[in-house]
Amino acid sequence: MTMWVFGYGSLLWNPGFEPAEAITATLGGYHRSFCMLSVHHRGTVDEPGLVLALDAADAECVGVAFRVAAQEEGEVLNALRERELISSAYVERQVSLSLEDGRQVEALTYVIDRDHEQYCQYDLEKQAQLIARSVGGRGPNPEYLYNTAAHLTKMGIEDPDMEWLVNRVRALT
């Protein structure tokens, strides 16, 4: 079975591996949301940042499906687990994706555990405040926001909340 990975946040611009194929894909039943406090990569325990997660919803999330070269599957899986499962806030799932060319594939992705202490639901202003001031092991939280927003725009994906956050965080910084 071919290994696919679904990217919806930082994987869009930094998958951490060279994909054998990358194609726009849609995942039903979830939406992209700044609903995970980041205490490692984009914030700290004392100053948490915010990162995107897939949150269950009556919605769709458009992102990228990355096909992993067969000889790299084990290495990629280990690297993804090290990166994404640094805390237990994400749950690894196999999901069904619709690719833009009509194919249907099963893909690995990471969704938020709503029962985890890093799960949050904040209004846009609070999200902007957290993102604007946070820095973690992988760099400033605003960088994460700007890179993700730029890649969504490049893909033609409109996200009014993301646009608002970009403008507000720029004003705050």
Side-chain angles (χ1 to χ4, degrees), residues 16-87:
F17 63 96
E18 188 63 41
E21 179 181 359
I23 185 169
T24 300
T26 302
L27 171 63
Y30 293 91
H31 72 107
R32 179 184 1 259
S33 174
F34 275 104
C35 65
M36 183 174 147
L37 293 169
S38 179
V39 297
H40 299 288
H41 296 316
R42 298 295 174 166
T44 64
V45 172
D46 294 331
E47 294 281 338
L50 273 179
V51 291
L52 292 164
L54 289 173
D55 199 4
D58 184 19
E60 291 183 332
C61 180
V62 179
V64 175
F66 298 105
R67 184 169 53 83
V68 180
Q71 68 274 17
E72 296 176 7
E73 289 179 0
E75 180 182 333
V76 168
L77 181 58
N78 288 337
L80 285 170
R81 285 177 172 166
E82 184 176 313
R83 171 181 171 169
E84 302 299 330
L85 301 177
I86 192 166
S87 71

Side-chain angles (χ1 to χ4, degrees), residues 13 15 42 54 59 61 74 86 130 135 158 163:
W13 45 272
R42 298 295 174 166
L54 289 173
C61 180
I86 192 166
L130 285 172
V135 178
E158 292 185 24
E163 289 178 32

Side-chain angles (χ1 to χ4, degrees), residues 50-160:
L50 273 179
V51 291
L52 292 164
L54 289 173
D55 199 4
D58 184 19
E60 291 183 332
C61 180
V62 179
V64 175
F66 298 105
R67 184 169 53 83
V68 180
Q71 68 274 17
E72 296 176 7
E73 289 179 0
E75 180 182 333
V76 168
L77 181 58
N78 288 337
L80 285 170
R81 285 177 172 166
E82 184 176 313
R83 171 181 171 169
E84 302 299 330
L85 301 177
I86 192 166
S87 71
S88 54
Y90 280 133
V91 177
E92 189 175 88
R93 292 265 168 84
Q94 286 288 326
V95 295
S96 297
L97 299 179
S98 299
L99 306 186
E100 72 177 348
D101 64 8
R103 289 179 287 167
Q104 300 287 313
V105 300
E106 292 295 308
L108 176 74
T109 198
Y110 297 90
V111 302
I112 190 71
D113 175 356
R114 285 184 164 192
D115 293 326
H116 195 277
E117 65 188 355
Q118 286 174 253
Y119 178 70
C120 61
Q121 292 273 293
Y122 297 134
D123 64 33
L124 288 173
E125 180 60 30
K126 174 124 183 187
Q127 290 177 36
Q129 295 289 333
L130 285 172
I131 292 169
R133 66 169 169 72
S134 302
V135 178
R138 290 189 180 253
N141 206 173
E143 174 187 78
Y144 174 94
L145 169 67
Y146 301 152
N147 282 334
T148 304
H151 277 75
L152 291 174
T153 299
K154 185 177 175 182
M155 293 175 64
I157 299 170
E158 292 185 24
D159 187 326

Side-chain angles (χ1 to χ4, degrees), residues 2-19:
T2 303
M3 181 179 174
W4 289 86
V5 176
F6 182 63
Y8 56 87
S10 64
L11 289 177
L12 293 173
W13 45 272
N14 182 18
F17 63 96
E18 188 63 41

